């Protein structure tokens, strides 16, 4: 019987560890593998079937459940997996599967295994007589980490000190992989520094398309000399990437992460750094295992609004340099920048931040100066705390300038220095200024290490080429030497401003550190005042005082220049925060003379100061002493409009005498008229003693109120020696539907109209007569543009008992219209005895109706002691022509002088009886009619009719001797004979 050719062994539930001893049966190679496994913690039971045939070789089969072993020779360890083995000689086909398994490798994690929710691996294991071996992982193999599913294929062979890897892997996830999953599965083989850095830097995102290729010995990783190839790539969307813990992250970027050998390169696009757009950012780790020299190189192309730079640098290691600089020099507007960061991955080195910012039409606000510099163009370079910009151009308040900027860290502070210069063309402010003004300025900013800041702006301008076309003391001729000095300095506690224009002007201001509160101020126009301080200064204790020491000045010229200045200021600048901040609380103006048109004030002192919601002022001069109050409008209904109130002790003004005649036909005088009265405050005036030129107005009060297109004289009252004028009126401006128009209406009363006229140096024929005149007049144009052609209205007048005397009344317009002096002269000619001492009347009244400059009357009547008079007709104010019919009816008393002439030595009682009877019983009436024509300057009076009859003589008179009768120069009533000439030019 021969030896057996086949051997078969079957063992169930054999512990894995002793079972590995069977590998010794496969020679030295099997023994080596058995030895390596023996050094690892192996667990689990395995069923083994071994067959050996002398012709076919050895065959064996193994199957185990819940097996575990540690890593060896660079081969990862596994736990809780199921194993299927089928071997022939030196070839082994294997299959690993399982759930809730774990992956153990010091290349992945120093201490902890990686959980595997699923293992599905298969492949071959070969060993050779020379001791080499080969582990193959089939392409269909899968490892499911927590949240990361990987498909892989690999071949592992022994190397000098570990294994040689030839592997490919890719993600199998159907959904994007969260960044938190990536952070958990960063292998430590990439180096501790990079591992720790990426664990913090990779904040958020969704990864897709993970892939890896690895060819090379593990001991040579990361292949500095290209001994192998390791490349891993992933595409990440919605990436939030934090450069460093104290830097703001890039977020919402799309990135490609690429590891190639020792180099890591992350390219992120379309992200945001704060609110700055990141067109592209590249994060490069040149060497994964550089150890002490490990660093990240980051470059980014960014664009956006410059005001977003400060928050970025505030949350960076550059907060005390760039961040502090951008706190003082605040940028806003479009910016394009290149940013390069070198970030060490060890704590011993500092971050290096460098790059540039391209400024195109940017605004720069300098906080210390509280000024905006606009249209900034140029490039600002920086390297950490060193900043420089050599060719900046910008505008300041519309003027161009050039500037250079330098900054650096000094021993005790961070220092910023700006040099600026420019030449400003001032012709654009014509007619106020002309010429060009060269200037230069220095700005220094210190940011001490212990906090706070200080700054100084020092500017000097050469005004020699400049002409300043305003009144003295600010006026200046071209080629006159003068300098403007401006200094602004301060800190977080206070800000000081000082400006000087030679001896013409000076300004000193002190603010709190935030430039929000004016702590003290002083401004002066003109030379320093030499007189003692006004007592109001001491009483009011003002914060900001303004003094003006003016030479003789024309207010109209100053107002003209002020309106020019307003045209250059932005609308609403008077209500701006700056204007409110710089509001003075005491203003004093002193001048030997102020004029406005024909008005003149001498030895003028004006002081003003604010009180709550109003301004108070006092004007002292030779001609005017008045208190002034400007009450500002309030939100409540108590005072919805501003009010300007004058309370004058006296006003004595001198000006031109009014014209003797109305400007009937000449066109409107060219004057500047307002466009609206909407901003005009309500004006109230009370004056205890008012005089204009020679005209004593007595006590005066008025109220003016403006609306958009209407100025209303609400009330006007003037009273002097019981002469009273009360009036109201309106001035309507021109609109699309109406012409400009003025209306005045009211009433004048006087106890003695003649006296009133004589007080105003108007010669008048009226004597001892009271007067009441009611008027309502209107005309097209401004109040000072009266034209006869558009004059309309009514005048109702009444004179009480008095008399008319022959004296020129051409100064009194009312009687010139009727040519009363000429009428009286005519009557005196016809009745020279009756009217020798004037025309006495009990009342004299009438109505004037004025239509387009034609004044007409139908009811002018005089009831006189010697007769009654009635006048009808009109006066044309344009041509000054007269057209009146006058009727005079003498009473019988008009024959009294004739009768008295016949009375020779009568007893006084008889004379009295005769006179009494003549006055009461006589019924004889004479009637005279006249035609008045000509002009107001050259009137013509023509008698056109006369009716008369003899008056009966009392018997007592008839008995007197006829021879004692004396003829008398009587009027025509003594006979019926008509006069030889019916027309008498009266002359003047």
């Amino acid at each position: 019987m021969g030896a057996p050719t086949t051997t078969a062994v079957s063992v169930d539930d054999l512990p894995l560890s002793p079972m590995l001893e069977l590998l010794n049966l496969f020679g030295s190679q099997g023994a080596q593998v058995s030895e390596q496994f023996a050094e690892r913690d192996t667990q689990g039971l395995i069923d083994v079937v071994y067959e050996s045939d002398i012709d076919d070789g050895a065959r064996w089969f193994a199957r185990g459940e819940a097996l575990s072993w540690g890593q060896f020779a660079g081969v990862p360890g596994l736990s809780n997996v199921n194993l299927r083995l089928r071997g022939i000689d030196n070839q082994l086909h294997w299959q690993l599967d399982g759930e809730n398994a774990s992956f153990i490798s010091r290349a992945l994690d120093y201490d902890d295994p990686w959980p595997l929710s699923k293992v599905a691996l298969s492949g071959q294991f070969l060993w050779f007589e020379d001791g080499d071996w080969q582990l193959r992982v089939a392409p269909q193999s899968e490892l499911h980490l927590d949240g990361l599913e990987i498909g892989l294929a690999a071949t592992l062979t022994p190397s000098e000190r570990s294994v040689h890897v030839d592997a490919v892997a890719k993600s199998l996830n159907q959904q994007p992989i969260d960044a938190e999953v990536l952070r958990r599965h960063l292998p430590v083989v990439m180096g501790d520094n990079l591992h720790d850095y990426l664990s913090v830097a990779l904040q958020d995102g969704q990864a897709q398309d993970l892939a890896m290729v690895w060819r090379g010995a593990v001991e040579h990783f990361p292949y500095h000399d290209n001994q192998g190839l390791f490349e891993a790539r992933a595409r990440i969307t919605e990436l939030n990437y934090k450069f460093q813990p104290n830097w703001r992250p890039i977020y919402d970027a799309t990135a490609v992460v690429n590891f190639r050998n020792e180099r890591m390169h992350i390219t992120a696009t379309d992200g945001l750094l704060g609110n700055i757009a990141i067109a592209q950012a590249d994060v490069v780790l040149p060497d994964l295992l550089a150890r002490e020299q490990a660093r990240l190189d980051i470059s980014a192309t960014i664009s956006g609004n410059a005001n977003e730079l400060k928050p970025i640098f505030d949350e960076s290691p550059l907060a005390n340099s760039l961040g502090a600089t951008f706190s003082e020099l605040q940028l806003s507007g479009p910016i394009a920048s290149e940013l390069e960061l070198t970030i060490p991955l060890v704590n011993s080195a500092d971050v290096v931040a460098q790059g540039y910012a391209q400024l195109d039409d940017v605004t720069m606000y300098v906080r210390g100066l509280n000024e905006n510099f606009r249209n900034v163009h140029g490039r600002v370079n920086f390297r950490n705390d060193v900043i420089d910009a050599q060719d900046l151009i910008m505008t300041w308040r519309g003027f161009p300038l050039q500037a250079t900027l330098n900054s650096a860290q000094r021993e005790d502070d961070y220092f910023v220095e700006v040099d600026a210069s420019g030449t400003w063309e001032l012709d654009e402010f014509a007619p106020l200024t002309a010429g060009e003004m060269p200037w230069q300025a220095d700005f220094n900013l210190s940011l001490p290490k212990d906090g706070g800041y200080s700054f100084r702006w020092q500017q000097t301008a050469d005004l020699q080429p400049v002409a300043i076309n305003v009144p003295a003391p600010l006026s200046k001729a071209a080629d006159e030497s003068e300098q403007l000095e401006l200094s602004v300095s301060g800190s977080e506690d206070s800000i000081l401003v000082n400006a000087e224009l030679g001896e013409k002007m000076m300004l000193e201001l002190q603010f709190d550190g935030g430039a929000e509160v004016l702590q003290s101020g002083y401004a002066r126009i003109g030379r320093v005042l030499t007189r003692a301080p006004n007592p109001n200064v001491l009483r009011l204790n003002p914060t900001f005082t303004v003094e003006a020491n003016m030479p003789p000045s024309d207010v109209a010229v100053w107002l003209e220049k002020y309106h020019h200045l307003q045209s250059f200021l932005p609308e609403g600048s008077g209500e701006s925060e700056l204007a409110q901040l710089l509001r003075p609380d005491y203003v004093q103006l002193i001048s030997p003379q102020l004029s406005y048109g024909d008005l003149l004030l001498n030895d003028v002192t004006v002081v003003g100061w604010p009180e709550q919601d109003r301004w108070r002022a006092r004007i002292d001069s030779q001609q005017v002493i008045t208190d002034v109050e400007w009450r500002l409008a309030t939100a409540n209904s108590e005072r919805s409009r501003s009010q300007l109130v004058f309370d004058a002790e006296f006003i004595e003004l001198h000006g031109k005498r009014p014209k003797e005649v109305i400007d009937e036909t000449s066109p409107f005088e060219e004057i500047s008229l307002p466009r609206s009265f909407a901003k005009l405050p309500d004006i109230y005036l009370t004056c205890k003693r008012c005089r204009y030129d020679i005209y004593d107005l007595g006590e005066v009060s008025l109220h003016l109120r403006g609306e958009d297109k209407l100025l209303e004289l609400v009330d006007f009252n003037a009273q002097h020696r019981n002469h009273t004028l009360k009036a109201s009126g309106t001035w309507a401006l021109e609109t699309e539907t109406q012409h400009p128009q003025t209306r005045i209406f009211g009433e004048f009363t006087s106890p003695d109209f003649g006296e009133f006229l004589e007080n105003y140096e108007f010669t008048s024929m009226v004597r001892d007569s009271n007067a009441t005149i009611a008027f309502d007049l209107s005309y097209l144009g401004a109040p000072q543009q009266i034209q006869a052609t558009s004059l309309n209205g009514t005048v109702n007048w009444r004179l009480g008992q008095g008399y008319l005397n022959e004296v020129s009344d051409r100064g009194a317009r009312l009687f010139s219209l009727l040519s009363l002096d000429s009428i009286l002269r005519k009557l005196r000619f016809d009745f020279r005895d009756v009217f020798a001492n004037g025309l006495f009347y009990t009342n004299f009244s009438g109505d004037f109706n004025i239509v387009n400059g034609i004044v007409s009357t139908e009811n002018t009547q005089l009831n006189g002691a010697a007769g009654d008079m009635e006048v009808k007709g009109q006066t044309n104010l344009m041509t000054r022509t007269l057209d009146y019919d006058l009727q005079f009816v003498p009473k019988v008393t008009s024959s009294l002088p004739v009768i008295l002439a016949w009375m020779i030595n009568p007893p006084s009682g008889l004379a009295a009886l005769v006179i009494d009877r003549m006055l009461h019983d006589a019924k004889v009436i004479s009637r005279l009619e006249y035609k008045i024509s000509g002009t107001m300057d050259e009137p013509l009076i023509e008698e056109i009719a006369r009716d008369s009859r003899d008056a009966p003589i009392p018997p007592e008179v008839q008995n007197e001797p006829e021879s004692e009768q004396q003829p008398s120069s009587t009027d025509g009533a003594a006979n019926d004979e008509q006069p030889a000439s019916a027309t008498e030019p009266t002359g003047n």
Side-chain angles (χ1 to χ4, degrees), residues 766-787:
V766 178
R767 295 290 186 271
D768 300 335
S769 178
N770 61 52
T772 300
I773 303 174
F775 54 91
D776 187 347
L777 303 173
S778 65
Y779 51 90
L780 297 181
Q784 67 271 41
Q785 292 178 315
I786 183 171
Q787 276 194 320

Side-chain angles (χ1 to χ4, degrees), residues 420-434:
S421 62
T423 299
W424 291 347
E425 297 290 339
L426 301 184
D427 290 341
E428 63 181 283
F429 297 112
L432 298 181
T433 58

Side-chain angles (χ1 to χ4, degrees), residues 135-241:
L135 176 63
R136 296 177 180 172
V137 179
Q140 296 81 14
S141 300
E142 296 182 14
L143 285 176
H144 290 197
L145 299 167
D146 184 13
L148 178 60
E149 300 174 6
I150 299 175
L152 72 157
T155 299
L156 279 68
T157 56
S159 64
E160 183 178 351
R161 294 194 301 272
S162 60
V163 296
H164 184 279
V165 178
D166 187 355
V168 294
K170 65 178 181 179
S171 62
L172 302 177
N173 295 63
Q174 298 299 312
Q175 300 297 325
I177 304 166
D178 192 80
E180 191 274 333
V181 174
L182 298 181
R183 288 197 301 270
R184 288 202 310 267
H185 297 101
L186 292 172
V188 296
V189 71
M190 65 174 51
D192 292 342
N193 290 333
L194 178 60
H195 179 276
D196 295 343
Y197 172 78
L198 290 177
S199 295
V200 175
L202 193 60
Q203 300 261 298
D204 200 2
Q206 302 293 316
Q208 295 174 304
D209 304 331
L210 276 70
M212 183 201 70
V213 175
W214 190 352
R215 297 187 182 95
V218 172
E219 68 266 24
H220 296 149
F221 183 84
Y223 314 122
H224 288 91
D225 299 322
N226 294 320
Q227 307 97 320
L229 171 66
F230 176 85
E231 186 168 5
R233 176 175 296 213
R235 184 169 62 88
I236 304 178
T237 59
E238 302 176 22
L239 171 65
N240 287 7
Y241 188 87

Side-chain angles (χ1 to χ4, degrees), residues 11-62:
V11 181
D12 292 334
D13 296 329
L14 179 67
L16 179 59
S17 181
M19 181 267 178
L20 294 176
E21 298 289 339
L22 296 177
L23 294 175
N24 292 318
L25 299 175
F26 298 99
S28 59
Q29 296 87 355
Q32 185 179 3
V33 173
S34 174
E35 182 181 351
Q36 291 176 339
F37 266 112
E39 296 174 356
R40 307 302 175 208
D41 182 17
T42 55
Q43 297 179 6
L45 302 176
I46 191 170
D47 298 335
V48 178
V49 176
Y50 176 77
E51 296 179 356
S52 178
D53 187 276
I54 196 169
D55 296 324
D56 297 330
R59 297 181 179 211
W60 48 283
F61 303 91

Side-chain angles (χ1 to χ4, degrees), residues 507-791:
L507 173 67
E508 292 178 347
L509 301 171
Q510 180 173 345
F511 301 91
D512 69 320
E516 296 177 348
V517 178
L518 179 63
Q519 297 174 336
S520 65
Y522 174 75
R524 171 178 53 79
I525 298 175
R527 295 182 179 273
V528 178
L529 296 175
T530 57
R531 65 174 62 182
N534 190 296
N536 283 309
V537 177
L538 304 176
R539 178 175 65 86
L540 296 171
N541 190 24
T543 298
F544 182 17
T545 298
V546 176
E547 292 182 346
N549 186 5
M550 308 292 290
S553 302
D554 187 338
V555 176
V557 176
W558 274 108
L559 289 176
E560 177 188 1
K561 302 303 181 182
Y562 174 72
H563 291 313
H564 282 304
L565 178 62
Q566 278 193 316
S567 67
F568 298 120
L569 298 177
E571 187 172 353
S573 58
E575 305 298 327
S576 65
E577 293 183 5
L578 179 61
Q580 297 301 314
L581 182 64
L582 296 180
R583 187 186 75 165
D585 49 12
Y586 182 80
V587 178
Q588 177 174 269
L589 182 147
I590 296 175
S591 176
Q593 187 178 88
L594 292 180
S595 61
Y596 184 74
D598 300 322
L599 305 180
L600 191 68
L601 300 182
N602 296 313
D603 296 332
V604 183
T605 299
V606 180
V607 295
W609 63 93
E611 279 186 8
Q612 298 178 346
D613 60 347
R614 64 195 62 193
W615 272 81
R616 292 187 179 275
R618 183 168 178 85
I619 302 173
D620 284 282
S621 68
Q622 293 182 8
Q623 293 82 8
V624 174
I625 295 181
T626 182
D627 292 320
V628 183
E629 187 174 338
W630 181 19
R631 302 168 182 169
L632 302 178
T634 57
N636 55 38
S637 58
E638 179 183 350
R639 188 166 67 247
S640 60
R641 299 169 57 93
S642 297
Q643 298 176 353
L644 188 59
V645 181
F646 296 87
D647 184 6
E649 296 180 17
F650 72 86
I651 298 176
E652 294 183 355
L653 302 178
H654 299 277
K656 292 181 179 179
R657 299 286 186 91
K659 292 182 179 180
E660 290 293 323
V661 296
I662 299 176
D663 190 6
E664 291 90 352
T665 58
S666 61
F668 287 158
E669 181 182 355
E670 291 295 331
I671 60 175
S672 177
L673 299 179
R675 297 182 179 180
S676 172
F677 299 113
K679 296 184 179 180
L680 185 72
D682 281 12
I683 297 176
Y684 297 86
L685 167 67
T686 58
C687 178
K688 298 181 179 64
R689 179 164 55 88
C690 278
R691 173 181 289 272
Y692 183 78
D693 203 57
I694 62 170
Y695 309 126
D696 194 344
L697 303 179
E699 188 172 347
V700 173
S701 67
L702 67 81
H703 174 200
L704 284 172
R705 179 183 180 89
E707 297 180 1
D708 183 22
K709 297 295 183 180
L710 185 70
L711 178 63
E712 180 183 5
L713 177 62
V714 179
D715 182 49
F716 176 87
N717 285 279
Q719 184 169 354
H720 176 60
R721 296 184 180 178
N722 296 322
H723 308 295
T724 302
L725 173 62
K726 296 182 178 181
S728 300
T730 58
W731 174 15
L733 297 177
E734 185 174 13
T735 66
E736 294 181 354
T737 58
Q738 72 175 19
H739 294 291
Q741 186 176 45
T742 297
R743 181 190 176 200
I744 185 75
F745 56 94
E747 184 178 80
F748 170 79
T749 60
S750 172
D752 189 336
F753 190 49
E755 178 196 57
F756 170 80
L757 293 176
E758 288 182 353
N759 287 337
Y760 286 89
E761 296 190 2
F762 286 119
T763 56
S764 174
M765 60 192 303
V766 178
R767 295 290 186 271
D768 300 335
S769 178
N770 61 52
T772 300
I773 303 174
F775 54 91
D776 187 347
L777 303 173
S778 65
Y779 51 90
L780 297 181
Q784 67 271 41
Q785 292 178 315
I786 183 171
Q787 276 194 320
T789 54
S790 63
L791 182 63

